[in-house]
Amino acid sequence: MSLNKNNIYIYFLFFLGISVYAQEQQKDSTSIEKLKEVVVVGESNVMSVSKKLFTVGTIKRRDIENVAGNNLADILFNSLNITINPDASDGRSTISLFGLDGQYVKILVDGIPVVSDNGVGNNIDITQINIDDVERVEIVEGSMGVLYGDNAVAGVINVITKRGLREEGWQIQLALQEETVGNEFELYDEGRHIQNFRVTNQVNDKLSYSFGASRNDFAGFYNGYKGQNYVNIQNETVVNDSLRGTEWNPKEQLTVSANVDLNLGKHNIFYKLQYFDESLDIYNRIVNGRFVNGQLNPTAIDQNYTTDRWVSNLNISGPFKNETKYNVSFSYQTQERNYQEYVYNILEQRKQSIETDAISQSSDVWYSKGFVNNIVPKSNFFNLQLGYEFTNQKGFDAIATGDYSSDVVENTITNYELFGVTEFKPTKKLSLNPGARFTHSTQFDNNLIWSLSSTYDFTEKLKLKAVVGSAFRAPNFEELFFYFVDANHNVRGNENLQPEDGVSVFVNLKDNYRVWNEGYLNPNFNFFYIDLKDAITSVTTEDEDGRLLFTQDNIDYSKRLGFSLDNSFIYKNWNIGLGATYLGIKNAINEELNNGSDYLWRLNFQSSLAYKISKWDTTISSQLKYTGRTQGVFTDSNGELFVGETDAFTWLNASVRTDISSNISATLGARNLLDVVSINTGTSAGAHTASTTTSRLIGNGRSYFLKLTYNLNF
């Protein structure tokens, strides 16, 4: 789906003019007070047990606005133990937590896992999660398999949608954001261009609804390349200098959503419908210089991937009786990714012919989760939560063409899961919480996930939390069933993969105390250990015909050990954050060959600073993050696996947000001030391999942005 860029700006300015006129007309008769959005305080329905047993960090709406965040990637970069992993070729950005990639982190929206290109809830492209209608983002660290199922090994990220207004009435929100990509910017053709629109109506104290749209146009990062319409012609001959195209491929995203929030007595019904469309263009660096009717006709074989996703989520919650509460969610999500390969006529700047037009990926997901907590509310010693979870994923992840196959094979994975968490309180300060989840899968053997959590309150503010449990991860849809085989490709999933399993330990100690009269210090100390058996990784081997085959397999183990200290200090108008993590990673392809290997240790450092100038309604903020070297499993030029390293890098952002009036705000800032573009990866070699060094793109240079937001309340 593509929108006319000129019309978007005209519509925005036209609507802004109408809104200003409406506001001025109302000012003549009645003084308008700016309506504030409802901020849900305390524990959300979907995370209440999580907050009691695990360490939960929150990125609030104000934090999102201070950095002009449009998608999840914009705001997660500064979280202490999270690393953003962008891929310039396909435009995807995934995350790692405690050195474990996106396969081990579950991403939820309102407690419901998100469908992705290769699974449900894991390895999500976080640039596809728009946060225009988000109230806050909760980050839960720790192995949470009992509460959230397999693949929640390192933690869970839960995106919470806004719900209604504080008072009856309407709110219209408009936002326009322009951003450079490195030093590249043109109003329509280069840089990043974002428009947001949202309307909310609080009908009464029981009913509210909202709808809106967001467009994010990333024109790509050229970085010395010359774009789609470049061709080098010398003496009526095409010279292939490999300068065509872009360093980062351009993509355009459109998100349209609507939700309804209804309170019936003490019961709440929340429904959200969302449509997402993404178009990703890949420009071939090789140009074909052919003569047609005596004229030079340079063409290139380009590609386009279009993703369409529908999400329909329903959540119902409330009390059974007194303090016993229920929470039930239902979801249907469908996604299709269409692949198109076409001949592009460079001089005429048009598609000349389409070579391939096919669906390359399809998913239909039915999901439901329900639980009842505080089942024994009158007991001071014992309590219980029981629940179920159901997931049915049907579809395929393949481009099956060429000589090897002309059909795609549809597969289905269905999980039936029951879980329970108990609470024993021997004393007022000590709580013990054993839990278990039984999983029946159509793909794997039955599995039991277990955990034992404990909390101890030394004082009202000094608290200790600890959890030990299963580190269980099942292979995702792509790892099992991916199939891309033609004359030039031989990439396949492995249906014989075994789930990973192991043990994880997380310990958290936090405090909160006053410093001087107006200062507060919140130190937070964590210890973590994760031991994964049969870790899944990419391998290179041969197929039945002796061709080079890229697939997945289980390796012996992967371990994480570390400590982190995170501090926040608030004094008057100052808000300062300072944290560090010392993380050790050890991988073994064959345990017998790695008995003497040590952990590769790295230091991660994070700091943030915010100062509010009250009389100007202005907040100045900055975020600095240092990510140390990382160990991983890589493939050398011969296709052999080896354990190598990725270099360290530092990221720095800064911004100023100010309220120009009661209705208009502006945010001006810069991302990646240190101008990081690429880092070296795979810099060390194994015992039987030569040293291999490659460069990996992680940024698109120093970028500047300006965001204008307008709120009309009536």
Side-chain angles (χ1 to χ4, degrees), residues 128-171:
Q128 294 184 348
I129 300 181
N130 181 269
I131 54 174
D132 174 52
D133 66 342
V134 167
E135 179 57 51
R136 67 190 185 279
V137 177
E138 297 177 330
I139 304 171
V140 191
E141 297 178 349
S143 186
M144 304 183 63
V146 169
L147 290 175
Y148 294 97
D150 56 10
N151 305 356
V153 175
V156 168
I157 297 174
N158 190 29
V159 179
I160 309 294
T161 302
K162 291 180 183 179
R163 300 191 183 191
L165 305 171
R166 186 180 297 276
E167 299 179 29
E168 294 181 15
W170 292 82
Q171 182 181 77

Short mmCIF file of all heavy atoms in Angstrom, two decimals, residues 128-171:
data_model
loop_
_atom_site.label_atom_id
_atom_site.label_comp_id
_atom_site.label_asym_id
_atom_site.label_seq_id
_atom_site.Cartn_x
_atom_site.Cartn_y
_atom_site.Cartn_z
N GLN A 128 8.18 -2.84 13.34
CA GLN A 128 6.81 -2.99 12.86
C GLN A 128 5.77 -2.76 13.96
O GLN A 128 4.57 -2.80 13.69
CB GLN A 128 6.61 -4.40 12.28
CG GLN A 128 7.42 -4.67 11.03
CD GLN A 128 7.13 -6.04 10.43
OE1 GLN A 128 6.49 -6.89 11.06
NE2 GLN A 128 7.58 -6.27 9.21
N ILE A 129 6.23 -2.52 15.19
CA ILE A 129 5.29 -2.29 16.30
C ILE A 129 5.19 -0.80 16.54
O ILE A 129 6.07 -0.18 17.16
CB ILE A 129 5.74 -3.04 17.57
CG1 ILE A 129 5.79 -4.54 17.29
CG2 ILE A 129 4.79 -2.75 18.73
CD1 ILE A 129 6.21 -5.38 18.47
N ASN A 130 4.12 -0.20 16.05
CA ASN A 130 3.90 1.23 16.20
C ASN A 130 3.47 1.53 17.64
O ASN A 130 2.68 0.79 18.24
CB ASN A 130 2.83 1.68 15.21
CG ASN A 130 2.56 3.16 15.29
OD1 ASN A 130 1.69 3.60 16.04
ND2 ASN A 130 3.29 3.94 14.52
N ILE A 131 3.97 2.63 18.21
CA ILE A 131 3.66 2.95 19.61
C ILE A 131 2.93 4.28 19.72
O ILE A 131 2.93 4.91 20.79
CB ILE A 131 4.94 2.96 20.48
CG1 ILE A 131 5.99 3.90 19.89
CG2 ILE A 131 5.49 1.56 20.62
CD1 ILE A 131 7.21 4.04 20.79
N ASP A 132 2.29 4.70 18.65
CA ASP A 132 1.53 5.95 18.68
C ASP A 132 0.39 5.88 19.69
O ASP A 132 0.05 6.89 20.32
CB ASP A 132 1.02 6.25 17.27
CG ASP A 132 0.11 7.46 17.22
OD1 ASP A 132 0.52 8.50 17.73
OD2 ASP A 132 -1.01 7.35 16.67
N ASP A 133 -0.25 4.72 19.84
CA ASP A 133 -1.40 4.59 20.75
C ASP A 133 -1.02 3.85 22.03
O ASP A 133 -1.88 3.31 22.72
CB ASP A 133 -2.55 3.86 20.05
CG ASP A 133 -2.21 2.41 19.72
OD1 ASP A 133 -1.01 2.07 19.71
OD2 ASP A 133 -3.14 1.61 19.48
N VAL A 134 0.26 3.88 22.40
CA VAL A 134 0.75 3.10 23.55
C VAL A 134 0.84 3.98 24.79
O VAL A 134 1.32 5.12 24.73
CB VAL A 134 2.13 2.48 23.22
CG1 VAL A 134 2.81 1.94 24.45
CG2 VAL A 134 1.94 1.39 22.18
N GLU A 135 0.37 3.46 25.91
CA GLU A 135 0.46 4.16 27.18
C GLU A 135 1.82 3.97 27.84
O GLU A 135 2.43 4.90 28.36
CB GLU A 135 -0.64 3.67 28.13
CG GLU A 135 -0.63 4.31 29.50
CD GLU A 135 -0.75 5.82 29.42
OE1 GLU A 135 -1.66 6.32 28.74
OE2 GLU A 135 0.11 6.50 30.01
N ARG A 136 2.33 2.74 27.80
CA ARG A 136 3.63 2.45 28.39
C ARG A 136 4.12 1.10 27.88
O ARG A 136 3.35 0.33 27.28
CB ARG A 136 3.55 2.43 29.92
CG ARG A 136 2.72 1.29 30.49
CD ARG A 136 2.47 1.48 31.98
NE ARG A 136 1.78 0.35 32.57
CZ ARG A 136 0.46 0.16 32.50
NH1 ARG A 136 -0.29 1.02 31.84
NH2 ARG A 136 -0.10 -0.89 33.06
N VAL A 137 5.38 0.81 28.11
CA VAL A 137 5.98 -0.47 27.75
C VAL A 137 6.61 -1.06 29.01
O VAL A 137 7.40 -0.39 29.69
CB VAL A 137 7.06 -0.30 26.66
CG1 VAL A 137 7.72 -1.64 26.35
CG2 VAL A 137 6.44 0.29 25.39
N GLU A 138 6.25 -2.30 29.34
CA GLU A 138 6.77 -2.98 30.52
C GLU A 138 7.79 -4.03 30.10
O GLU A 138 7.53 -4.83 29.21
CB GLU A 138 5.63 -3.62 31.32
CG GLU A 138 4.65 -2.59 31.85
CD GLU A 138 3.47 -3.22 32.59
OE1 GLU A 138 3.08 -4.35 32.24
OE2 GLU A 138 2.93 -2.57 33.49
N ILE A 139 8.96 -4.00 30.73
CA ILE A 139 10.04 -4.93 30.45
C ILE A 139 10.25 -5.80 31.68
O ILE A 139 10.60 -5.30 32.75
CB ILE A 139 11.34 -4.18 30.10
CG1 ILE A 139 11.10 -3.23 28.92
CG2 ILE A 139 12.45 -5.17 29.77
CD1 ILE A 139 12.25 -2.30 28.66
N VAL A 140 10.02 -7.10 31.52
CA VAL A 140 10.14 -8.04 32.64
C VAL A 140 11.36 -8.91 32.39
O VAL A 140 11.44 -9.61 31.38
CB VAL A 140 8.88 -8.91 32.77
CG1 VAL A 140 8.90 -9.67 34.10
CG2 VAL A 140 7.62 -8.07 32.68
N GLU A 141 12.31 -8.87 33.30
CA GLU A 141 13.54 -9.64 33.15
C GLU A 141 13.45 -10.92 33.96
O GLU A 141 13.04 -10.91 35.11
CB GLU A 141 14.74 -8.81 33.61
CG GLU A 141 14.96 -7.56 32.77
CD GLU A 141 16.12 -6.72 33.26
OE1 GLU A 141 16.63 -7.00 34.37
OE2 GLU A 141 16.53 -5.78 32.56
N GLY A 142 13.85 -12.03 33.33
CA GLY A 142 13.83 -13.31 34.03
C GLY A 142 13.14 -14.37 33.20
O GLY A 142 12.34 -14.07 32.30
N SER A 143 13.44 -15.62 33.48
CA SER A 143 12.83 -16.73 32.76
C SER A 143 11.39 -16.90 33.22
O SER A 143 11.14 -17.21 34.38
CB SER A 143 13.63 -18.01 33.02
OG SER A 143 13.15 -19.05 32.22
N MET A 144 10.44 -16.69 32.31
CA MET A 144 9.03 -16.61 32.66
C MET A 144 8.21 -17.67 31.95
O MET A 144 7.07 -17.44 31.57
CB MET A 144 8.50 -15.21 32.34
CG MET A 144 9.29 -14.10 33.00
SD MET A 144 8.59 -12.49 32.68
CE MET A 144 6.98 -12.66 33.46
N GLY A 145 8.80 -18.85 31.75
CA GLY A 145 8.12 -19.90 31.01
C GLY A 145 6.83 -20.36 31.64
O GLY A 145 5.88 -20.72 30.94
N VAL A 146 6.74 -20.37 32.98
CA VAL A 146 5.52 -20.84 33.64
C VAL A 146 4.34 -19.92 33.31
O VAL A 146 3.24 -20.38 33.02
CB VAL A 146 5.74 -20.94 35.15
CG1 VAL A 146 4.41 -21.16 35.88
CG2 VAL A 146 6.69 -22.08 35.47
N LEU A 147 4.57 -18.61 33.34
CA LEU A 147 3.48 -17.68 33.10
C LEU A 147 3.23 -17.40 31.63
O LEU A 147 2.10 -17.15 31.22
CB LEU A 147 3.77 -16.35 33.82
CG LEU A 147 3.71 -16.38 35.35
CD1 LEU A 147 4.13 -15.04 35.91
CD2 LEU A 147 2.31 -16.73 35.83
N TYR A 148 4.29 -17.46 30.79
CA TYR A 148 4.15 -17.03 29.40
C TYR A 148 4.60 -18.07 28.39
O TYR A 148 4.75 -17.77 27.21
CB TYR A 148 4.90 -15.72 29.19
CG TYR A 148 4.28 -14.59 29.98
CD1 TYR A 148 4.79 -14.23 31.22
CD2 TYR A 148 3.15 -13.93 29.53
CE1 TYR A 148 4.20 -13.22 31.97
CE2 TYR A 148 2.56 -12.93 30.26
CZ TYR A 148 3.09 -12.58 31.48
OH TYR A 148 2.50 -11.58 32.21
N GLY A 149 4.85 -19.28 28.82
CA GLY A 149 5.11 -20.36 27.88
C GLY A 149 6.54 -20.43 27.40
O GLY A 149 7.43 -19.72 27.86
N ASP A 150 6.78 -21.36 26.44
CA ASP A 150 8.12 -21.54 25.93
C ASP A 150 8.62 -20.27 25.25
O ASP A 150 7.86 -19.42 24.82
CB ASP A 150 8.17 -22.72 24.95
CG ASP A 150 7.18 -22.57 23.80
OD1 ASP A 150 6.60 -21.47 23.67
OD2 ASP A 150 6.99 -23.53 23.06
N ASN A 151 9.92 -20.13 25.20
CA ASN A 151 10.61 -19.02 24.55
C ASN A 151 10.61 -17.73 25.35
O ASN A 151 11.14 -16.72 24.88
CB ASN A 151 10.04 -18.73 23.15
CG ASN A 151 10.06 -19.96 22.26
OD1 ASN A 151 10.56 -21.01 22.63
ND2 ASN A 151 9.50 -19.84 21.08
N ALA A 152 10.05 -17.72 26.56
CA ALA A 152 10.18 -16.55 27.44
C ALA A 152 11.35 -16.79 28.39
O ALA A 152 11.22 -16.72 29.60
CB ALA A 152 8.88 -16.32 28.22
N VAL A 153 12.52 -17.09 27.80
CA VAL A 153 13.68 -17.51 28.58
C VAL A 153 14.37 -16.33 29.23
O VAL A 153 14.74 -16.37 30.41
CB VAL A 153 14.68 -18.29 27.69
CG1 VAL A 153 15.95 -18.62 28.45
CG2 VAL A 153 14.02 -19.56 27.17
N ALA A 154 14.59 -15.25 28.46
CA ALA A 154 15.30 -14.08 29.00
C ALA A 154 14.35 -13.06 29.59
O ALA A 154 14.73 -12.29 30.47
CB ALA A 154 16.14 -13.43 27.90
N GLY A 155 13.10 -13.02 29.11
CA GLY A 155 12.16 -12.06 29.64
C GLY A 155 11.00 -11.82 28.69
O GLY A 155 10.85 -12.49 27.66
N VAL A 156 10.18 -10.84 29.06
CA VAL A 156 8.96 -10.50 28.32
C VAL A 156 8.89 -8.99 28.19
O VAL A 156 9.20 -8.25 29.13
CB VAL A 156 7.71 -11.04 29.03
CG1 VAL A 156 6.44 -10.45 28.43
CG2 VAL A 156 7.66 -12.55 28.98
N ILE A 157 8.49 -8.52 27.00
CA ILE A 157 8.21 -7.10 26.77
C ILE A 157 6.73 -6.97 26.45
O ILE A 157 6.25 -7.56 25.49
CB ILE A 157 9.07 -6.54 25.64
CG1 ILE A 157 10.55 -6.61 26.03
CG2 ILE A 157 8.68 -5.10 25.32
CD1 ILE A 157 11.50 -6.21 24.92
N ASN A 158 6.02 -6.20 27.26
CA ASN A 158 4.58 -6.07 27.10
C ASN A 158 4.23 -4.62 26.77
O ASN A 158 4.57 -3.70 27.52
CB ASN A 158 3.85 -6.49 28.38
CG ASN A 158 2.35 -6.59 28.19
OD1 ASN A 158 1.88 -6.88 27.10
ND2 ASN A 158 1.60 -6.36 29.25
N VAL A 159 3.58 -4.42 25.62
CA VAL A 159 3.20 -3.09 25.14
C VAL A 159 1.74 -2.85 25.54
O VAL A 159 0.85 -3.62 25.16
CB VAL A 159 3.37 -2.99 23.62
CG1 VAL A 159 2.95 -1.62 23.12
CG2 VAL A 159 4.82 -3.28 23.23
N ILE A 160 1.50 -1.80 26.34
CA ILE A 160 0.17 -1.53 26.88
C ILE A 160 -0.48 -0.38 26.12
O ILE A 160 0.05 0.72 26.02
CB ILE A 160 0.24 -1.16 28.38
CG1 ILE A 160 1.06 -2.20 29.15
CG2 ILE A 160 -1.17 -1.02 28.96
CD1 ILE A 160 0.45 -3.56 29.20
N THR A 161 -1.67 -0.63 25.56
CA THR A 161 -2.40 0.36 24.76
C THR A 161 -3.10 1.38 25.65
O THR A 161 -3.58 1.06 26.74
CB THR A 161 -3.44 -0.36 23.89
OG1 THR A 161 -2.78 -1.32 23.06
CG2 THR A 161 -4.19 0.61 23.01
N LYS A 162 -3.18 2.64 25.17
CA LYS A 162 -3.95 3.68 25.86
C LYS A 162 -5.42 3.30 25.93
O LYS A 162 -5.96 2.69 25.01
CB LYS A 162 -3.84 5.01 25.11
CG LYS A 162 -2.48 5.67 25.14
CD LYS A 162 -2.55 6.98 24.35
CE LYS A 162 -1.22 7.67 24.28
NZ LYS A 162 -1.28 8.92 23.49
N ARG A 163 -6.07 3.73 27.02
CA ARG A 163 -7.49 3.45 27.17
C ARG A 163 -8.20 4.71 27.68
O ARG A 163 -8.15 5.04 28.86
CB ARG A 163 -7.73 2.30 28.14
CG ARG A 163 -7.08 0.99 27.70
CD ARG A 163 -7.55 -0.16 28.53
NE ARG A 163 -6.88 -1.41 28.17
CZ ARG A 163 -7.25 -2.61 28.60
NH1 ARG A 163 -8.28 -2.73 29.43
NH2 ARG A 163 -6.60 -3.70 28.23
N GLY A 164 -8.86 5.41 26.77
CA GLY A 164 -9.77 6.48 27.16
C GLY A 164 -9.13 7.74 27.68
O GLY A 164 -7.91 7.92 27.68
N LEU A 165 -10.00 8.67 28.15
CA LEU A 165 -9.62 9.97 28.69
C LEU A 165 -10.11 10.09 30.13
O LEU A 165 -10.97 9.32 30.58
CB LEU A 165 -10.21 11.11 27.85
CG LEU A 165 -9.88 11.10 26.35
CD1 LEU A 165 -10.71 12.16 25.63
CD2 LEU A 165 -8.40 11.32 26.12
N ARG A 166 -9.58 11.09 30.83
CA ARG A 166 -9.98 11.27 32.23
C ARG A 166 -11.42 11.77 32.35
O ARG A 166 -12.14 11.42 33.27
CB ARG A 166 -9.02 12.24 32.90
CG ARG A 166 -9.26 12.39 34.41
CD ARG A 166 -8.27 13.36 35.01
NE ARG A 166 -6.90 12.88 34.88
CZ ARG A 166 -6.33 12.02 35.72
NH1 ARG A 166 -7.03 11.54 36.75
NH2 ARG A 166 -5.09 11.63 35.54
N GLU A 167 -11.82 12.62 31.41
CA GLU A 167 -13.16 13.20 31.46
C GLU A 167 -13.88 12.95 30.13
O GLU A 167 -13.25 12.66 29.12
CB GLU A 167 -13.08 14.71 31.73
CG GLU A 167 -12.42 15.06 33.05
CD GLU A 167 -12.34 16.55 33.26
OE1 GLU A 167 -13.22 17.26 32.71
OE2 GLU A 167 -11.41 17.01 33.94
N GLU A 168 -15.21 13.10 30.15
CA GLU A 168 -15.98 12.93 28.94
C GLU A 168 -15.61 13.99 27.91
O GLU A 168 -15.34 15.13 28.24
CB GLU A 168 -17.49 13.01 29.26
CG GLU A 168 -17.99 11.88 30.13
CD GLU A 168 -19.48 11.98 30.40
OE1 GLU A 168 -20.15 12.76 29.69
OE2 GLU A 168 -19.96 11.29 31.32
N GLY A 169 -15.60 13.58 26.64
CA GLY A 169 -15.28 14.52 25.58
C GLY A 169 -14.43 13.88 24.50
O GLY A 169 -14.28 12.65 24.44
N TRP A 170 -13.88 14.74 23.65
CA TRP A 170 -13.09 14.30 22.50
C TRP A 170 -11.66 14.80 22.62
O TRP A 170 -11.40 15.86 23.18
CB TRP A 170 -13.67 14.84 21.20
CG TRP A 170 -15.00 14.28 20.83
CD1 TRP A 170 -16.23 14.66 21.29
CD2 TRP A 170 -15.24 13.23 19.89
NE1 TRP A 170 -17.22 13.91 20.73
CE2 TRP A 170 -16.64 13.02 19.84
CE3 TRP A 170 -14.43 12.45 19.08
CZ2 TRP A 170 -17.23 12.08 19.02
CZ3 TRP A 170 -15.00 11.51 18.25
CH2 TRP A 170 -16.40 11.33 18.22
N GLN A 171 -10.75 14.02 22.04
CA GLN A 171 -9.38 14.48 21.88
C GLN A 171 -8.91 14.09 20.48
O GLN A 171 -9.03 12.94 20.07
CB GLN A 171 -8.44 13.87 22.92
CG GLN A 171 -7.01 14.39 22.79
CD GLN A 171 -6.07 13.77 23.80
OE1 GLN A 171 -5.66 12.63 23.63
NE2 GLN A 171 -5.75 14.51 24.86
#
